[in-house]
mmCIF file of all heavy atoms in Angstrom:
data_model
loop_
_atom_site.group_PDB
_atom_site.id
_atom_site.type_symbol
_atom_site.label_atom_id
_atom_site.label_comp_id
_atom_site.label_asym_id
_atom_site.label_seq_id
_atom_site.Cartn_x
_atom_site.Cartn_y
_atom_site.Cartn_z
ATOM 1 N N LYS A 214 7.618 10.426 2.775
ATOM 2 C CA LYS A 214 8.385 11.105 1.711
ATOM 3 C C LYS A 214 8.285 10.454 0.400
ATOM 4 O O LYS A 214 8.579 11.055 -0.656
ATOM 5 C CB LYS A 214 9.854 11.184 2.146
ATOM 6 C CG LYS A 214 10.081 12.092 3.406
ATOM 7 C CD LYS A 214 11.538 12.117 3.820
ATOM 8 C CE LYS A 214 11.989 10.889 4.443
ATOM 9 N NZ LYS A 214 11.260 10.461 5.667
ATOM 10 N N LYS A 215 7.798 9.228 0.295
ATOM 11 C CA LYS A 215 7.720 8.503 -0.971
ATOM 12 C C LYS A 215 6.390 8.749 -1.708
ATOM 13 O O LYS A 215 6.158 8.268 -2.769
ATOM 14 C CB LYS A 215 7.935 7.009 -0.768
ATOM 15 C CG LYS A 215 9.328 6.730 -0.237
ATOM 16 C CD LYS A 215 9.459 5.347 0.349
ATOM 17 C CE LYS A 215 10.753 5.212 1.155
ATOM 18 N NZ LYS A 215 10.769 5.943 2.411
ATOM 19 N N ASN A 216 5.491 9.489 -1.067
ATOM 20 C CA ASN A 216 4.217 9.800 -1.667
ATOM 21 C C ASN A 216 4.371 10.827 -2.793
ATOM 22 O O ASN A 216 5.343 11.643 -2.818
ATOM 23 C CB ASN A 216 3.225 10.399 -0.668
ATOM 24 C CG ASN A 216 2.859 9.389 0.383
ATOM 25 O OD1 ASN A 216 3.005 8.224 0.207
ATOM 26 N ND2 ASN A 216 2.433 9.870 1.575
ATOM 27 N N GLN A 217 3.462 10.792 -3.730
ATOM 28 C CA GLN A 217 3.444 11.805 -4.787
ATOM 29 C C GLN A 217 1.960 12.264 -4.940
ATOM 30 O O GLN A 217 1.042 11.472 -4.903
ATOM 31 C CB GLN A 217 3.920 11.227 -6.115
ATOM 32 C CG GLN A 217 5.424 10.990 -6.103
ATOM 33 C CD GLN A 217 5.879 10.509 -7.470
ATOM 34 O OE1 GLN A 217 5.310 9.623 -8.054
ATOM 35 N NE2 GLN A 217 6.928 11.059 -8.011
ATOM 36 N N ASN A 218 1.807 13.576 -5.137
ATOM 37 C CA ASN A 218 0.498 14.189 -5.365
ATOM 38 C C ASN A 218 -0.504 13.869 -4.222
ATOM 39 O O ASN A 218 -1.696 13.676 -4.529
ATOM 40 C CB ASN A 218 -0.038 13.756 -6.734
ATOM 41 C CG ASN A 218 0.907 14.126 -7.858
ATOM 42 O OD1 ASN A 218 1.516 15.200 -7.836
ATOM 43 N ND2 ASN A 218 1.064 13.218 -8.789
ATOM 44 N N GLY A 219 -0.003 13.643 -3.024
ATOM 45 C CA GLY A 219 -0.899 13.390 -1.928
ATOM 46 C C GLY A 219 -1.456 11.996 -1.854
ATOM 47 O O GLY A 219 -2.299 11.676 -1.019
ATOM 48 N N ILE A 220 -0.939 11.154 -2.719
ATOM 49 C CA ILE A 220 -1.423 9.714 -2.750
ATOM 50 C C ILE A 220 -0.434 8.836 -1.988
ATOM 51 O O ILE A 220 0.764 8.886 -2.187
ATOM 52 C CB ILE A 220 -1.539 9.192 -4.182
ATOM 53 C CG1 ILE A 220 -2.564 10.047 -4.959
ATOM 54 C CG2 ILE A 220 -1.876 7.743 -4.243
ATOM 55 C CD1 ILE A 220 -2.551 9.828 -6.473
ATOM 56 N N ILE A 221 -0.974 8.060 -0.996
ATOM 57 C CA ILE A 221 -0.147 7.185 -0.201
ATOM 58 C C ILE A 221 0.434 6.122 -1.065
ATOM 59 O O ILE A 221 -0.266 5.400 -1.808
ATOM 60 C CB ILE A 221 -0.898 6.615 0.993
ATOM 61 C CG1 ILE A 221 -1.422 7.749 1.889
ATOM 62 C CG2 ILE A 221 -0.035 5.694 1.810
ATOM 63 C CD1 ILE A 221 -2.369 7.301 2.996
ATOM 64 N N ASN A 222 1.753 5.914 -0.989
ATOM 65 C CA ASN A 222 2.466 4.985 -1.877
ATOM 66 C C ASN A 222 2.920 3.765 -1.070
ATOM 67 O O ASN A 222 3.574 3.956 -0.046
ATOM 68 C CB ASN A 222 3.681 5.742 -2.478
ATOM 69 C CG ASN A 222 4.346 4.965 -3.594
ATOM 70 O OD1 ASN A 222 4.733 3.858 -3.402
ATOM 71 N ND2 ASN A 222 4.447 5.574 -4.741
ATOM 72 N N PHE A 223 2.605 2.603 -1.556
ATOM 73 C CA PHE A 223 2.986 1.357 -0.859
ATOM 74 C C PHE A 223 3.921 0.532 -1.768
ATOM 75 O O PHE A 223 3.806 0.569 -2.997
ATOM 76 C CB PHE A 223 1.763 0.512 -0.548
ATOM 77 C CG PHE A 223 0.811 1.122 0.419
ATOM 78 C CD1 PHE A 223 -0.262 1.849 -0.001
ATOM 79 C CD2 PHE A 223 1.039 0.983 1.797
ATOM 80 C CE1 PHE A 223 -1.179 2.411 0.868
ATOM 81 C CE2 PHE A 223 0.109 1.533 2.681
ATOM 82 C CZ PHE A 223 -0.937 2.239 2.244
ATOM 83 N N THR A 224 4.796 -0.229 -1.121
ATOM 84 C CA THR A 224 5.450 -1.333 -1.787
ATOM 85 C C THR A 224 4.714 -2.594 -1.376
ATOM 86 O O THR A 224 4.480 -2.870 -0.211
ATOM 87 C CB THR A 224 6.935 -1.439 -1.384
ATOM 88 O OG1 THR A 224 7.594 -0.262 -1.834
ATOM 89 C CG2 THR A 224 7.568 -2.671 -1.936
ATOM 90 N N MET A 225 4.286 -3.400 -2.368
ATOM 91 C CA MET A 225 3.578 -4.680 -2.100
ATOM 92 C C MET A 225 4.362 -5.764 -2.780
ATOM 93 O O MET A 225 5.334 -5.548 -3.476
ATOM 94 C CB MET A 225 2.160 -4.584 -2.590
ATOM 95 C CG MET A 225 1.334 -3.502 -1.852
ATOM 96 S SD MET A 225 -0.416 -3.516 -2.390
ATOM 97 C CE MET A 225 -0.977 -1.919 -1.743
ATOM 98 N N MET A 226 3.963 -6.997 -2.518
ATOM 99 C CA MET A 226 4.617 -8.142 -3.043
ATOM 100 C C MET A 226 3.636 -9.054 -3.813
ATOM 101 O O MET A 226 2.504 -9.274 -3.319
ATOM 102 C CB MET A 226 5.257 -8.965 -1.915
ATOM 103 C CG MET A 226 6.158 -8.197 -0.997
ATOM 104 S SD MET A 226 7.622 -7.561 -1.812
ATOM 105 C CE MET A 226 8.400 -9.080 -2.449
ATOM 106 N N GLY A 227 4.059 -9.532 -5.004
ATOM 107 C CA GLY A 227 3.273 -10.525 -5.714
ATOM 108 C C GLY A 227 3.574 -11.951 -5.247
ATOM 109 O O GLY A 227 2.760 -12.843 -5.253
ATOM 110 N N ALA A 228 4.835 -12.135 -4.794
ATOM 111 C CA ALA A 228 5.304 -13.375 -4.246
ATOM 112 C C ALA A 228 6.674 -13.009 -3.568
ATOM 113 O O ALA A 228 7.112 -11.859 -3.633
ATOM 114 C CB ALA A 228 5.543 -14.404 -5.327
ATOM 115 N N ILE A 229 7.281 -14.020 -2.910
ATOM 116 C CA ILE A 229 8.624 -13.675 -2.385
ATOM 117 C C ILE A 229 9.520 -13.277 -3.502
ATOM 118 O O ILE A 229 9.634 -14.004 -4.548
ATOM 119 C CB ILE A 229 9.220 -14.965 -1.670
ATOM 120 C CG1 ILE A 229 8.318 -15.532 -0.600
ATOM 121 C CG2 ILE A 229 10.597 -14.634 -1.137
ATOM 122 C CD1 ILE A 229 8.192 -14.744 0.660
ATOM 123 N N GLY A 230 10.172 -12.168 -3.408
ATOM 124 C CA GLY A 230 11.041 -11.633 -4.474
ATOM 125 C C GLY A 230 10.397 -10.933 -5.620
ATOM 126 O O GLY A 230 11.047 -10.362 -6.479
ATOM 127 N N ASP A 231 9.034 -10.985 -5.693
ATOM 128 C CA ASP A 231 8.293 -10.323 -6.743
ATOM 129 C C ASP A 231 7.787 -8.969 -6.200
ATOM 130 O O ASP A 231 6.735 -8.891 -5.599
ATOM 131 C CB ASP A 231 7.118 -11.191 -7.196
ATOM 132 C CG ASP A 231 6.284 -10.520 -8.271
ATOM 133 O OD1 ASP A 231 6.701 -9.487 -8.799
ATOM 134 O OD2 ASP A 231 5.213 -11.109 -8.597
ATOM 135 N N ILE A 232 8.594 -7.937 -6.421
ATOM 136 C CA ILE A 232 8.382 -6.611 -5.827
ATOM 137 C C ILE A 232 7.419 -5.776 -6.669
ATOM 138 O O ILE A 232 7.681 -5.622 -7.893
ATOM 139 C CB ILE A 232 9.760 -5.914 -5.624
ATOM 140 C CG1 ILE A 232 10.667 -6.743 -4.770
ATOM 141 C CG2 ILE A 232 9.553 -4.537 -5.004
ATOM 142 C CD1 ILE A 232 12.140 -6.486 -4.979
ATOM 143 N N ARG A 233 6.424 -5.186 -6.080
ATOM 144 C CA ARG A 233 5.518 -4.268 -6.806
ATOM 145 C C ARG A 233 5.552 -2.899 -6.119
ATOM 146 O O ARG A 233 4.954 -2.681 -5.075
ATOM 147 C CB ARG A 233 4.075 -4.854 -6.700
ATOM 148 C CG ARG A 233 3.967 -6.313 -7.095
ATOM 149 C CD ARG A 233 4.173 -6.542 -8.592
ATOM 150 N NE ARG A 233 3.978 -7.926 -8.935
ATOM 151 C CZ ARG A 233 2.783 -8.499 -9.252
ATOM 152 N NH1 ARG A 233 1.691 -7.777 -9.310
ATOM 153 N NH2 ARG A 233 2.736 -9.774 -9.567
ATOM 154 N N ILE A 234 6.345 -1.998 -6.699
ATOM 155 C CA ILE A 234 6.446 -0.626 -6.177
ATOM 156 C C ILE A 234 5.321 0.238 -6.674
ATOM 157 O O ILE A 234 4.604 -0.136 -7.587
ATOM 158 C CB ILE A 234 7.823 -0.007 -6.496
ATOM 159 C CG1 ILE A 234 8.026 0.163 -7.983
ATOM 160 C CG2 ILE A 234 8.952 -0.812 -5.876
ATOM 161 C CD1 ILE A 234 9.194 1.006 -8.351
ATOM 162 N N ASN A 235 5.130 1.387 -6.033
ATOM 163 C CA ASN A 235 4.207 2.409 -6.436
ATOM 164 C C ASN A 235 2.728 1.867 -6.493
ATOM 165 O O ASN A 235 1.996 2.148 -7.424
ATOM 166 C CB ASN A 235 4.537 2.953 -7.847
ATOM 167 C CG ASN A 235 5.883 3.664 -7.824
ATOM 168 O OD1 ASN A 235 6.313 4.229 -6.816
ATOM 169 N ND2 ASN A 235 6.597 3.595 -8.953
ATOM 170 N N GLN A 236 2.377 1.109 -5.438
ATOM 171 C CA GLN A 236 1.044 0.646 -5.315
ATOM 172 C C GLN A 236 0.244 1.601 -4.435
ATOM 173 O O GLN A 236 0.741 2.288 -3.620
ATOM 174 C CB GLN A 236 1.004 -0.794 -4.648
ATOM 175 C CG GLN A 236 1.832 -1.796 -5.430
ATOM 176 C CD GLN A 236 1.255 -2.103 -6.831
ATOM 177 O OE1 GLN A 236 0.034 -2.385 -6.934
ATOM 178 N NE2 GLN A 236 2.065 -2.011 -7.831
ATOM 179 N N THR A 237 -1.107 1.620 -4.673
ATOM 180 C CA THR A 237 -1.953 2.504 -3.899
ATOM 181 C C THR A 237 -3.081 1.659 -3.284
ATOM 182 O O THR A 237 -3.318 0.495 -3.689
ATOM 183 C CB THR A 237 -2.573 3.594 -4.752
ATOM 184 O OG1 THR A 237 -3.316 2.981 -5.817
ATOM 185 C CG2 THR A 237 -1.479 4.461 -5.343
ATOM 186 N N ALA A 238 -3.737 2.277 -2.330
ATOM 187 C CA ALA A 238 -4.908 1.597 -1.660
ATOM 188 C C ALA A 238 -5.912 2.688 -1.264
ATOM 189 O O ALA A 238 -5.508 3.784 -0.931
ATOM 190 C CB ALA A 238 -4.455 0.796 -0.462
ATOM 191 N N THR A 239 -7.164 2.258 -1.289
ATOM 192 C CA THR A 239 -8.198 3.273 -0.869
ATOM 193 C C THR A 239 -8.193 3.402 0.679
ATOM 194 O O THR A 239 -7.612 2.544 1.409
ATOM 195 C CB THR A 239 -9.598 2.786 -1.278
ATOM 196 O OG1 THR A 239 -9.912 1.606 -0.607
ATOM 197 C CG2 THR A 239 -9.662 2.571 -2.811
ATOM 198 N N THR A 240 -8.863 4.390 1.158
ATOM 199 C CA THR A 240 -8.927 4.580 2.617
ATOM 200 C C THR A 240 -9.620 3.378 3.257
ATOM 201 O O THR A 240 -9.212 2.906 4.320
ATOM 202 C CB THR A 240 -9.750 5.865 2.967
ATOM 203 O OG1 THR A 240 -9.060 6.983 2.413
ATOM 204 C CG2 THR A 240 -9.879 6.037 4.470
ATOM 205 N N GLU A 241 -10.644 2.841 2.569
ATOM 206 C CA GLU A 241 -11.314 1.630 3.093
ATOM 207 C C GLU A 241 -10.389 0.439 3.157
ATOM 208 O O GLU A 241 -10.412 -0.318 4.115
ATOM 209 C CB GLU A 241 -12.574 1.327 2.276
ATOM 210 C CG GLU A 241 -13.772 2.238 2.566
ATOM 211 C CD GLU A 241 -14.047 2.316 4.074
ATOM 212 O OE1 GLU A 241 -14.209 1.300 4.713
ATOM 213 O OE2 GLU A 241 -14.085 3.467 4.591
ATOM 214 N N GLU A 242 -9.573 0.272 2.124
ATOM 215 C CA GLU A 242 -8.616 -0.865 2.117
ATOM 216 C C GLU A 242 -7.562 -0.689 3.243
ATOM 217 O O GLU A 242 -7.201 -1.691 3.866
ATOM 218 C CB GLU A 242 -7.958 -0.932 0.721
ATOM 219 C CG GLU A 242 -8.899 -1.463 -0.385
ATOM 220 C CD GLU A 242 -8.334 -1.312 -1.780
ATOM 221 O OE1 GLU A 242 -7.510 -0.378 -1.981
ATOM 222 O OE2 GLU A 242 -8.746 -2.069 -2.655
ATOM 223 N N ILE A 243 -7.117 0.509 3.426
ATOM 224 C CA ILE A 243 -6.162 0.743 4.508
ATOM 225 C C ILE A 243 -6.757 0.436 5.857
ATOM 226 O O ILE A 243 -6.147 -0.194 6.718
ATOM 227 C CB ILE A 243 -5.647 2.235 4.460
ATOM 228 C CG1 ILE A 243 -4.796 2.451 3.194
ATOM 229 C CG2 ILE A 243 -4.861 2.567 5.713
ATOM 230 C CD1 ILE A 243 -4.447 3.913 2.922
ATOM 231 N N LYS A 244 -8.041 0.830 6.045
ATOM 232 C CA LYS A 244 -8.695 0.526 7.318
ATOM 233 C C LYS A 244 -8.933 -0.965 7.502
ATOM 234 O O LYS A 244 -8.823 -1.517 8.593
ATOM 235 C CB LYS A 244 -10.013 1.266 7.370
ATOM 236 C CG LYS A 244 -9.791 2.810 7.628
ATOM 237 C CD LYS A 244 -11.120 3.556 7.783
ATOM 238 C CE LYS A 244 -10.825 4.993 8.113
ATOM 239 N NZ LYS A 244 -12.065 5.833 8.291
ATOM 240 N N GLU A 245 -9.237 -1.674 6.393
ATOM 241 C CA GLU A 245 -9.355 -3.154 6.443
ATOM 242 C C GLU A 245 -8.067 -3.777 6.887
ATOM 243 O O GLU A 245 -8.011 -4.696 7.676
ATOM 244 C CB GLU A 245 -9.698 -3.706 5.021
ATOM 245 C CG GLU A 245 -11.188 -3.776 4.712
ATOM 246 C CD GLU A 245 -11.388 -4.326 3.318
ATOM 247 O OE1 GLU A 245 -10.632 -5.245 2.917
ATOM 248 O OE2 GLU A 245 -12.320 -3.834 2.668
ATOM 249 N N ALA A 246 -6.922 -3.243 6.313
ATOM 250 C CA ALA A 246 -5.597 -3.800 6.674
ATOM 251 C C ALA A 246 -5.270 -3.513 8.146
ATOM 252 O O ALA A 246 -4.686 -4.390 8.805
ATOM 253 C CB ALA A 246 -4.552 -3.161 5.760
ATOM 254 N N LEU A 247 -5.733 -2.368 8.661
ATOM 255 C CA LEU A 247 -5.577 -2.086 10.053
ATOM 256 C C LEU A 247 -6.440 -2.987 10.923
ATOM 257 O O LEU A 247 -6.064 -3.433 12.039
ATOM 258 C CB LEU A 247 -5.832 -0.602 10.376
ATOM 259 C CG LEU A 247 -4.774 0.386 9.832
ATOM 260 C CD1 LEU A 247 -5.320 1.803 9.868
ATOM 261 C CD2 LEU A 247 -3.499 0.248 10.618
ATOM 262 N N ASP A 248 -7.651 -3.324 10.456
ATOM 263 C CA ASP A 248 -8.515 -4.289 11.163
ATOM 264 C C ASP A 248 -7.776 -5.629 11.249
ATOM 265 O O ASP A 248 -7.754 -6.295 12.287
ATOM 266 C CB ASP A 248 -9.834 -4.484 10.414
ATOM 267 C CG ASP A 248 -10.802 -3.372 10.552
ATOM 268 O OD1 ASP A 248 -10.664 -2.561 11.490
ATOM 269 O OD2 ASP A 248 -11.704 -3.222 9.695
ATOM 270 N N PHE A 249 -7.187 -6.038 10.131
ATOM 271 C CA PHE A 249 -6.423 -7.318 10.135
ATOM 272 C C PHE A 249 -5.280 -7.292 11.097
ATOM 273 O O PHE A 249 -5.007 -8.255 11.802
ATOM 274 C CB PHE A 249 -5.932 -7.663 8.702
ATOM 275 C CG PHE A 249 -5.114 -8.877 8.659
ATOM 276 C CD1 PHE A 249 -5.671 -10.150 8.648
ATOM 277 C CD2 PHE A 249 -3.726 -8.815 8.626
ATOM 278 C CE1 PHE A 249 -4.952 -11.298 8.645
ATOM 279 C CE2 PHE A 249 -2.920 -9.963 8.577
ATOM 280 C CZ PHE A 249 -3.535 -11.185 8.571
ATOM 281 N N PHE A 250 -4.569 -6.157 11.137
ATOM 282 C CA PHE A 250 -3.410 -5.993 12.047
ATOM 283 C C PHE A 250 -3.921 -6.239 13.502
ATOM 284 O O PHE A 250 -3.245 -6.860 14.308
ATOM 285 C CB PHE A 250 -2.831 -4.606 11.903
ATOM 286 C CG PHE A 250 -1.724 -4.312 12.929
ATOM 287 C CD1 PHE A 250 -0.492 -4.880 12.823
ATOM 288 C CD2 PHE A 250 -2.013 -3.493 13.989
ATOM 289 C CE1 PHE A 250 0.490 -4.655 13.776
ATOM 290 C CE2 PHE A 250 -1.007 -3.230 14.940
ATOM 291 C CZ PHE A 250 0.254 -3.799 14.842
#
């Protein structure tokens, strides 16, 4: 529900407490993250 215009929306972190909202990733980056998982 947090997506806009069909783009997957992530919350990421720059450091503990350093919140970066409205981040995006390519399909390849998402698959890399799933590989890491």
